[in-house]
Structure formats: structure tokens, C-alpha cells
Amino acid sequence: MIGFLKGVIAAKHPPTLLVDVNGVGYELEAPMSTFYTLPDLGGRVELFTHLVIRDDAHVLYGFATGAERQLFRGLLKVSGIGARMALAILSGTSVEGFVQCVQSGDVASLTRIPGIGRKTAERLIVEMRDRLEASATPMSAGGAAAPARAGDEARDALVALGYKPAEAQRLVRTVETDGRSTEEIIRAALQAAAR
């Protein structure tokens, strides 16, 4: 198991990033909460990781904090929640925000995350509440591109997170993209979607 990586950011294309670790490029998928904290290309980074082995691929996921990885692993244990959905949840809310939603039973906030319907939100609250209470450790704890390209990358990232292409395009159009990095556009679009 690969527990963490320390290296240099070689490429960022949300939700995928490439980290050069002593000449070996590790491709990872990461939630937007992690992308918001990444340095520019060429910057040094330390990421917690989780490896998912499927029949057709080995996928490495990267997280800025241990709390993000712990929540990701907890979400994978919920029936009907896969790695892509867990990534979308971490992209749509912070660890603290998710814990607060679960503890307060806030179904409405969870359903604002793409791909989360009412039944899934209710299941998340029931199953994660038990895990959070049983957990001994509490779960708390960008590079600029050309404006047009940053907007396109932001749209693609939103599609990868579960938004329909037309909805992703609409969200990107609702935010100011001039001078913003891809990560900043995505953050603004996700905040607009949550309103």
C-alpha cells in the first residue's frame, strides 16, 4: 500500500494530478478540496494516498490531509458509494462541513452535491453518523492557466465530478474567469451551485 507521496507537481488537470517522485510520475485523482491547497506547477507537495484496485485499473487517490483520506475511506464503506462519489462529496464540501451535515441530519445540504439524491443523503447520514461516533479520531483537522483554457479545464473538472456537460458549462459561465486559475473557477462554480 502506498501511504503518502512527497514530490513535485508535474501537471494539474482537475481532478487528476501528476506528481514527480524522484523521477517516477504518479498519477492521482484528488478532490477539489485538495486542489485548492496545491502549490503551482513545480512546487513541492506531500499527499496522503489511498489505492483502489479494480478489475480494470489501479487508481491512486491523493489528499491534502489525513482527515480527508479518513473520510474518503469511511465513505467507501457506505453501501452504494464508490470512489467517484466519495471524491465528489469531498469536492462539494469540507470534512468539517460534511461532519456537521451528518451530525445535524442536514439532507438538503448533501443533496446539493452532484450525484447525491435524497435517499443517498439519508443513507449517508445514517451510516456515517454511526462511523463518526465510533471513530476514535475525529474527522477534522494553484497554478494559473490562460483564462479561456482555465474555464475549459474547470468545465471538464465539473463534468468529471458528476455534473452534466450543459450544467457544468452554465456554472462556469456564471463566474468571473478573467485572471483566475482553474481551481479558483471550480471553487467559485461549486459555491454558486451550492446556493
Side-chain angles (χ1 to χ4, degrees):
M1 180 67 83
I2 301 169
F4 69 90
L5 294 175
K6 289 183 182 181
V8 174
I9 297 184
K12 295 193 297 187
H13 303 286
T16 304
L17 72 134
L18 185 65
V19 178
D20 179 343
V21 180
N22 296 325
V24 178
Y26 287 88
E27 189 173 272
L28 301 101
E29 290 197 24
M32 291 313 302
S33 55
T34 293
F35 266 90
Y36 299 149
T37 66
L38 293 176
D40 292 337
L41 293 180
R44 294 206 54 79
V45 68
E46 296 181 22
L47 296 170
F48 292 92
T49 59
H50 180 83
L51 179 63
V52 173
I53 300 175
R54 302 187 319 227
D55 290 339
D56 60 342
H58 292 199
V59 183
L60 190 61
Y61 293 90
F63 307 94
T65 67
E68 284 183 346
R69 180 175 66 179
Q70 184 180 359
L71 177 55
F72 181 83
R73 288 175 170 172
L75 289 167
L76 292 180
K77 295 176 184 173
V78 176
S79 59
I81 302 294
R84 184 172 290 285
M85 180 75 70
L87 209 62
I89 291 168
L90 280 166
S91 294
T93 185
S94 67
V95 173
E96 294 79 9
F98 180 81
V99 170
Q100 188 174 17
C101 285
V102 168
Q103 290 173 340
S104 65
D106 188 355
V107 173
S109 290
L110 290 176
T111 58
R112 290 190 197 111
I113 299 170
I116 304 287
R118 184 166 186 80
K119 288 183 180 180
T120 302
E122 290 169 350
R123 186 170 58 249
L124 278 168
I125 289 169
V126 169
E127 293 189 36
M128 288 302 294
R129 184 177 288 147
D130 295 339
R131 287 192 177 89
L132 291 173
E133 289 171 2
S135 177
T137 57
M139 289 189 190
S140 59
R149 185 166 175 231
D152 292 342
E153 288 177 351
R155 183 199 62 233
D156 293 345
L158 290 170
V159 170
L161 292 171
Y163 285 93
K164 290 182 172 58
E167 177 69 4
Q169 184 66 36
R170 186 190 66 76
L171 286 171
V172 169
R173 272 192 257 129
T174 63
V175 300
E176 178 61 43
T177 58
D178 290 341
R180 284 187 168 181
S181 70
T182 302
E183 291 84 5
E184 291 169 335
I185 296 168
I186 295 167
R187 181 183 304 178
L190 288 171
Q191 288 171 344
R195 290 187 198 123

